[in-house]
Amino acid sequence: MKHMNLLKNTTLLCSLLLFISLSRTVYGNDTINLSSPPLPPKALAGLTITDINNLEAGRIVILKQDSKSENRNKSLIKASLVINKPIEKVWRLIKCTECQAQYIPDLEESNLVNSYKDGNTVAFTVKALFFTIRYRVNHYFNDNDYRLTWKLDKSYKHDIKDLYGFWQFYKIDDNHTLARYGSKLDVGSFVPEFVENYLTRKDLPKALHAVKKWIESDGKYRK
């Protein structure tokens, strides 16, 4: 009887250890752990334990915060994801902002207008549902902090009212990078509310998955 109980307890222990091992995402021989080595506090700011667990499991975490403005066309979007590439490679690829039409769904064109030392200007054409939306964006590269920011080029006539955002990257280890994303869109009165909802709530997860796939394929993935 004692032998049977010992065997039963051993089986339960093995099952528990197997469950724990499967509850974390493993890439090759690596396990993603966002707490070791410790990242800067701001890297995980605003994330819950559930969010962190989802990131470690390879999922994209999207946080949506509506603007307090009465204008329904303003939305603040924040997201986080883990990219399975070294931060230097992630940074090199993400700065190719004119490459976005190669992999982002619904983005028809991303043409380089101007390039300068710490950034560039890119003209975008998005087709969302029955609408075609054109706008130009100025990108700014901070190589020291692995931070890319953007805002609408005010010198150009746009189909949206305002847009700005950022990518911020943190090194997890030699093979994994934590990416924090934020963007605020004000579509103005030209674009209906259902199109804004499509761009922010429905299209964003697909776009972030595409970014992840493109970088992890070393820029070879195409939509």
Side-chain angles (χ1 to χ4, degrees):
M1 187 68 177
K2 291 182 178 180
H3 176 74
M4 293 295 294
N5 288 335
L6 179 60
L7 180 61
K8 182 178 181 180
N9 291 337
T10 302
T11 302
L12 289 173
L13 179 59
C14 291
S15 298
L16 179 60
L17 291 174
L18 178 62
F19 172 79
I20 292 174
S21 67
L22 291 176
S23 67
R24 306 183 69 85
T25 300
V26 179
Y27 300 92
N29 296 320
D30 299 328
T31 300
I32 294 179
N33 189 338
L34 295 180
S35 61
S36 179
L39 294 169
K42 61 182 179 180
L44 302 177
L47 298 175
T48 66
I49 296 298
T50 300
D51 293 335
I52 293 173
N53 289 338
N54 282 330
L55 288 171
E56 291 178 337
R59 303 184 185 96
I60 294 175
V61 173
I62 296 179
L63 306 172
K64 184 176 188 302
Q65 301 175 3
D66 291 324
S67 170
K68 294 181 179 180
S69 169
E70 294 181 357
N71 183 351
R72 57 86 179 165
N73 292 313
K74 294 183 180 180
S75 298
L76 176 64
I77 301 286
K78 290 184 178 180
S80 301
L81 60 150
V82 172
I83 301 175
N84 307 313
K85 285 292 180 180
I87 192 169
E88 292 81 9
K89 182 165 289 187
V90 172
W91 182 240
R92 177 177 61 81
L93 287 169
I94 203 69
K95 289 198 297 181
C96 186
T97 54
E98 68 273 21
C99 298
Q100 293 180 28
Q102 297 175 2
Y103 58 91
I104 294 183
D106 299 322
L107 183 58
E108 292 292 314
E109 296 179 356
S110 54
N111 298 317
L112 185 65
V113 176
N114 190 19
S115 181
Y116 34 95
K117 181 181 178 181
D118 298 320
N120 63 31
T121 300
V122 176
F124 294 100
T125 301
V126 175
K127 287 192 176 180
L129 302 176
F130 304 107
F131 287 81
T132 298
I133 303 169
R134 296 178 177 85
Y135 56 96
R136 285 186 182 180
V137 174
N138 294 324
H139 300 97
Y140 307 93
F141 308 143
N142 185 332
D143 292 332
N144 293 328
D145 295 332
Y146 299 105
R147 184 176 179 84
L148 165 63
T149 57
W150 62 85
K151 64 180 181 180
L152 210 60
D153 179 4
K154 297 294 187 178
S155 67
Y156 181 78
K157 185 178 180 181
H158 307 279
D159 294 333
I160 60 176
K161 186 176 181 180
D162 201 10
L163 172 70
Y164 62 88
F166 68 88
W167 277 108
Q168 178 68 63
F169 301 99
Y170 300 95
K171 179 179 178 179
I172 299 175
D173 55 40
D174 290 340
N175 298 305
H176 305 100
T177 300
L178 174 64
R180 301 295 303 264
Y181 169 92
S183 183
K184 191 167 185 178
L185 171 67
D186 184 350
V187 299
S189 58
F190 173 77
V191 181
E193 183 176 9
F194 72 89
V195 177
E196 182 213 6
N197 291 337
Y198 176 85
L199 291 172
T200 56
R201 296 186 180 130
K202 296 182 179 180
D203 202 48
L204 180 63
K206 293 190 299 181
L208 294 177
H209 275 290
V211 171
K212 178 178 170 70
K213 290 172 67 175
W214 186 70
I215 293 177
E216 292 179 351
S217 70
D218 295 323
K220 298 176 183 177
Y221 166 77
R222 295 294 185 271
K223 60 187 179 185

